[in-house]
Amino acid sequence: MDELKLYTYIAVFGSFALYFAIAWWARAGSTSDFYVAGGDITPLQNGMAIGADWMSAASFISMAGLIAFLGYGGSVFLMGWTGGYVLLAMLLAPYMRKHGKFTVPEFISDRYYSKTARIVAVVCLIIASLTYIIGQMKGVGVAFSRFLEVDYGLGLGIGMAVVWVYAVLGGMKGITYTQIAQYCVLIFAYTIPAVFISLQLTGNPIPQLGLGSTLADGSGVYLLDKLDMVVTDLGFKEYTTDNMGGTLNMFAYTMSLMIGTAGLPHVIMRFFTVPSVQAARSSAGYALVFIALLYTIAPAVGAMARLNLMNTIEPAAGQNLEYEARPQWFKDWETTGLLKFEDKNGDGKITYVADAEKNEMVKVDRDIMVLANPAIANLPNWVIALVAAGGLAAALSTAAGLLLAISSSISHDLMKGVLTPNLSDKNELLAGRIVMTIAILISGYLGLHPPGFAAGTVALAFGLAASSIFPALMMGIFAKKMSGTAAVWGMCSGIGVTMLYVFQHKGIMFIPGTSFLGDMGPDWFFGISPNAFGAVGAVVNFAVAFIVVRFTGPAPTHIQDMVDNFRSPYGKIEAAHDH
């Protein structure tokens, strides 16, 4: 066994052993433990757990890869996901914690005094969460297949088994303590290679500052200026100014990601695990610090990875790398199929340019950039192994949070809340575990056979939450006269408009050949792309709800009093674990 494989086995299976030990120690004995970890997690612990929950495979593996290839345009993901967290922490979490219910659909049911509203919220939540999990499962499969050199399907199966043990056994209590450990693993795994590479390229050990520094080769050229020169020489768009479809589309994309993220339920649930509203606010502050540690490094990781990749393939101006002399990391990623070379001109050299006719790097999967980055920069094997463990920690921590959101929405909201109100605590806990097991099997199957619409639905998950759940929560808290009828109409119309626009471009349920743009051009609505349309759907949701409430009358007085109570810093605070 070679040194890299040995280090990888130690890092990955050592971290798994830690997660199992924690899950056994913190296993759930009641519905309160299963859904809200007993409600007595400290703000610091909760802040770290939120950080791990937030930093999914998309954040750890994909975001820096997107920034590496999209340049400035990729900043929408950075701003959208971080901004969404700030919205959630400031405008939603403290009020929902004071009301004290387990889940988002339960809050919507109480606030809008409507089982219909609860069912609509459950449907939105399940679709959004399931599509998001597909991405996590792909991250697990990619990381395992490359670093443990096992089949993609076997890697996915191992990942499913690990999540099953600590999520089903421990519930929210086990997940919380496991996520604290996962945060420590993933932040070290992300930061250490970034520090090494920043030192190599700029002589500055702080990646955030290295991004804006001059290169260490004594040329006096700034890193970003050098990157701009390298990519424009090869015909690519300038790294620092390339935007995605114009300023309005960039704005709509950022807004859609922000409000969609604030409406995704798996992070909102974390705020019910602390004992008070003050603790919810404090844990939000801690989480922002923990999230910022990774999110402020991501632009540096993306830019440095792109520069290293370009410099590897074209070591000097006009001199292309001989294919036979390609480095070991190149060969390793070729075997996974995520990196492909095709010698179009037969000269045995690698030509990597923007012109599709001449470009011989026919596939460079964006998701490999963070995982391949340490190897491209010739870092020690133990650093490469640490990144593998970090990528898996990021994917598994978010998958567990999403699975709990799905499980609680079915067992607590649908079964106990609507279908079988007399369900005992013991049977509800059993139902929650069975539902979570089924959800793991479904998400694993979708990860193994990703539907053609997998990439589209991850964007749709945010658009769906942005156009349905977020406006309902905002109006529920800040518009006390908003009625249940108006909220249901708002949710249905927001989702309807968003899905219509997305399906018009990408096909009905993303089936190829069923798009129906007709004589309209792509992005016909002010140049806004389908992935960014959730923001428009949210505006429609708000508008319809406020129009309907004008005609149907305001919410009853006792509901308005309830809203006044959870908006007030005084008065009774509900305990999430009393319900």
Side-chain angles (χ1 to χ4, degrees):
M1 185 185 293
D2 62 36
E3 186 187 45
L4 174 58
K5 207 167 183 181
L6 177 65
Y7 279 135
T8 307
Y9 274 32
I10 292 169
V12 171
F13 290 111
S15 61
F16 283 0
L18 177 65
Y19 306 153
F20 286 157
I22 291 168
W24 180 254
W25 168 72
R27 59 194 182 278
S30 67
T31 50
S32 167
D33 280 349
F34 192 78
Y35 294 132
V36 291
D40 56 3
I41 302 295
T42 69
L44 181 64
Q45 290 172 330
N46 200 38
M48 289 184 90
I50 291 169
D53 216 346
W54 199 259
M55 287 180 280
S56 59
S59 290
F60 188 95
I61 296 174
S62 300
M63 185 170 62
L66 285 165
I67 293 170
F69 287 95
L70 294 172
Y72 169 70
S75 63
V76 297
F77 298 97
L78 202 63
M79 298 304 295
W81 286 335
T82 318
Y85 174 75
V86 177
L87 280 182
L88 174 62
M90 301 290 288
L91 299 179
L92 301 180
Y95 304 102
M96 293 177 69
R97 175 63 194 89
K98 187 171 181 191
H99 184 59
K101 290 298 165 80
F102 279 154
T103 65
V104 170
E106 192 174 15
F107 173 84
I108 286 177
S109 172
D110 272 15
R111 167 58 186 86
Y112 294 119
Y113 48 96
S114 162
K115 284 190 176 177
T116 308
R118 188 174 192 156
I119 292 166
V120 170
V122 166
V123 170
C124 297
L125 184 152
I126 290 170
I127 296 171
S129 299
L130 257 183
T131 54
Y132 202 22
I133 289 180
I134 295 171
Q136 310 312 313
M137 291 300 183
K138 187 193 171 206
V140 170
V142 167
F144 266 118
S145 63
R146 161 65 191 90
F147 289 106
L148 301 185
E149 293 173 24
V150 296
D151 178 66
Y152 175 85
L154 177 61
L156 190 62
I158 296 170
M160 285 164 63
V162 174
V163 173
W164 186 85
V165 169
Y166 73 77
V168 173
L169 185 71
M172 181 60 100
K173 193 173 180 184
I175 287 169
T176 298
Y177 290 110
T178 309
Q179 283 177 336
I180 293 168
Q182 285 166 332
Y183 178 81
C184 296
V185 171
L186 72 86
I187 201 67
F188 277 113
Y190 207 76
T191 307
I192 290 171
V195 169
F196 272 116
I197 293 167
S198 182
L199 259 174
Q200 264 184 7
L201 289 174
T202 67
N204 192 322
I206 302 169
Q208 294 94 325
L209 299 178
L211 182 64
S213 300
T214 53
L215 292 168
D217 59 9
S219 62
V221 177
Y222 283 92
L223 183 141
L224 285 170
D225 288 341
K226 173 72 173 174
L227 184 53
D228 273 346
M229 283 191 290
V230 169
V231 295
T232 51
D233 281 352
L234 299 174
F236 296 99
K237 290 179 179 175
E238 195 174 53
Y239 188 82
T240 52
T241 58
D242 182 23
N243 73 12
M244 283 177 20
T247 307
L248 179 62
N249 189 57
M250 286 271 287
F251 176 76
Y253 213 130
T254 306
M255 282 303 296
S256 187
L257 288 172
M258 274 175 74
I259 60 180
T261 308
L264 282 172
H266 65 290
V267 178
I268 295 175
M269 289 177 69
R270 292 234 53 91
F271 289 97
F272 301 138
T273 64
V274 290
S276 68
V277 175
Q278 179 55 46
R281 287 188 184 279
S282 300
S283 57
Y286 281 122
L288 200 52
V289 173
F290 292 130
I291 291 167
L293 285 174
L294 188 143
Y295 270 47
T296 55
I297 293 173
V301 171
M304 291 171 186
R306 181 81 182 271
L307 185 60
N308 276 334
L309 177 71
M310 295 302 200
N311 286 341
T312 302
I313 292 173
E314 192 175 343
Q319 288 182 11
N320 291 349
L321 179 72
E322 294 270 354
Y323 180 67
E324 290 304 318
R326 70 197 186 283
Q328 184 60 41
W329 67 264
F330 196 112
K331 296 173 186 173
D332 291 339
W333 282 104
E334 273 186 308
T335 59
T336 66
L338 298 172
L339 203 64
K340 283 183 186 168
F341 164 76
E342 188 182 305
D343 195 358
K344 292 179 179 175
N345 58 12
D347 68 350
K349 293 182 178 181
I350 301 172
T351 304
Y352 184 27
V353 290
D355 184 344
E357 293 291 315
K358 297 176 183 172
N359 179 40
E360 296 178 342
M361 288 300 298
V362 290
K363 183 169 186 184
V364 183
D365 194 298
R366 292 166 177 177
D367 286 353
I368 75 170
M369 292 310 292
V370 169
L371 299 175
N373 205 7
I376 296 172
N378 291 317
L379 297 187
N381 283 334
W382 65 268
V383 178
I384 300 170
L386 187 60
V387 170
L392 290 166
L396 295 173
S397 63
T398 303
L402 289 163
L403 287 164
L404 188 67
I406 292 170
S407 163
S408 61
S409 70
I410 293 176
S411 62
H412 189 70
D413 289 305
L414 212 53
M415 292 174 68
K416 179 128 187 190
V418 180
L419 303 174
T420 51
N422 300 322
L423 195 67
S424 70
D425 263 14
K426 186 178 177 185
N427 286 338
E428 189 186 341
L429 187 61
L430 178 64
R433 287 182 160 141
I434 291 169
V435 167
M436 197 182 281
T437 304
I438 294 167
I440 289 172
L441 293 172
I442 292 170
S443 58
Y445 176 80
L446 291 173
L448 192 57
H449 306 281
F453 57 84
T457 49
V458 170
L460 183 61
F462 287 97
L464 205 62
S467 59
S468 60
I469 297 171
F470 176 78
L473 295 177
M474 284 294 286
M475 292 184 291
I477 293 166
F478 297 105
K480 69 178 183 179
K481 293 185 177 180
M482 185 54 63
S483 67
T485 308
V488 170
W489 273 98
M491 282 196 281
C492 293
S493 49
I495 273 192
V497 167
T498 305
M499 291 182 82
L500 185 70
Y501 193 77
V502 171
F503 290 164
Q504 197 187 3
H505 282 79
K506 303 193 175 195
I508 297 163
M509 288 314 297
F510 304 90
I511 296 165
T514 59
S515 54
F516 50 98
L517 274 167
D519 55 359
M520 292 174 171
D523 305 346
W524 57 267
F525 190 83
F526 297 105
I528 294 173
S529 65
N531 291 358
F533 202 76
V536 180
V539 172
V540 171
N541 185 330
F542 281 116
V544 168
F546 279 107
I547 290 167
V548 172
V549 83
R550 290 290 293 272
F551 288 99
T552 58
T557 311
H558 72 278
I559 296 292
Q560 295 189 38
D561 291 343
M562 179 180 79
V563 176
D564 279 334
N565 177 56
F566 66 65
R567 272 170 45 183
S568 163
Y570 310 105
K572 182 174 182 288
I573 296 172
E574 300 285 346
H577 43 292
D578 286 345
H579 293 267

